[in-house]
Amino acid sequence: MAVYGGQGPSSKTDGTVNLNVVSGHLNSNPSWFECRIDNGPWNGGGPHPNRWLYTESDDGGWGWVADTDISDETNPVLGCGEFA
């Protein structure tokens, strides 16, 4: 788990990134992220154009948020499945 600044909508469908399903919103700053993937759909660009981070929204729903919605560098967040 890592804590970062920034906010944006999170979306989730059965553990996969789905841009059409919103499970909640990130309104707090800082926010925390459980893990990341780097092979998701294009998120709008930036240094990690296919990176998505898994988190619990401020509404209590779990889902994915695009790396482009986060203002800090997200490289320190472990990849999903990389937990020891």
Side-chain angles (χ1 to χ4, degrees), residues 6-44:
Q7 63 185 34
S10 58
S11 59
K12 173 185 175 276
T13 299
D14 297 328
T16 62
V17 177
N18 183 327
L19 303 179
N20 298 315
V21 178
V22 175
S23 64
H25 296 87
L26 299 178
N27 300 309
S28 61
N29 192 357
S31 296
W32 65 271
F33 303 94
E34 185 73 24
C35 63
R36 66 177 167 86
I37 59 170
D38 288 308
N39 61 348
W42 189 68
N43 63 24

Side-chain angles (χ1 to χ4, degrees), residues 19-81:
L19 303 179
N20 298 315
V21 178
V22 175
S23 64
H25 296 87
L26 299 178
N27 300 309
S28 61
N29 192 357
S31 296
W32 65 271
F33 303 94
E34 185 73 24
C35 63
R36 66 177 167 86
I37 59 170
D38 288 308
N39 61 348
W42 189 68
N43 63 24
H48 312 292
N50 299 96
R51 180 173 289 175
W52 293 79
L53 295 100
Y54 194 63
T55 190
E56 182 177 12
S57 72
D58 294 330
D59 311 85
W62 284 86
W64 299 92
V65 63
D67 180 77
T68 53
D69 288 335
I70 302 165
S71 59
D72 291 336
E73 176 55 62
T74 58
N75 279 338
V77 179
L78 289 177
C80 298

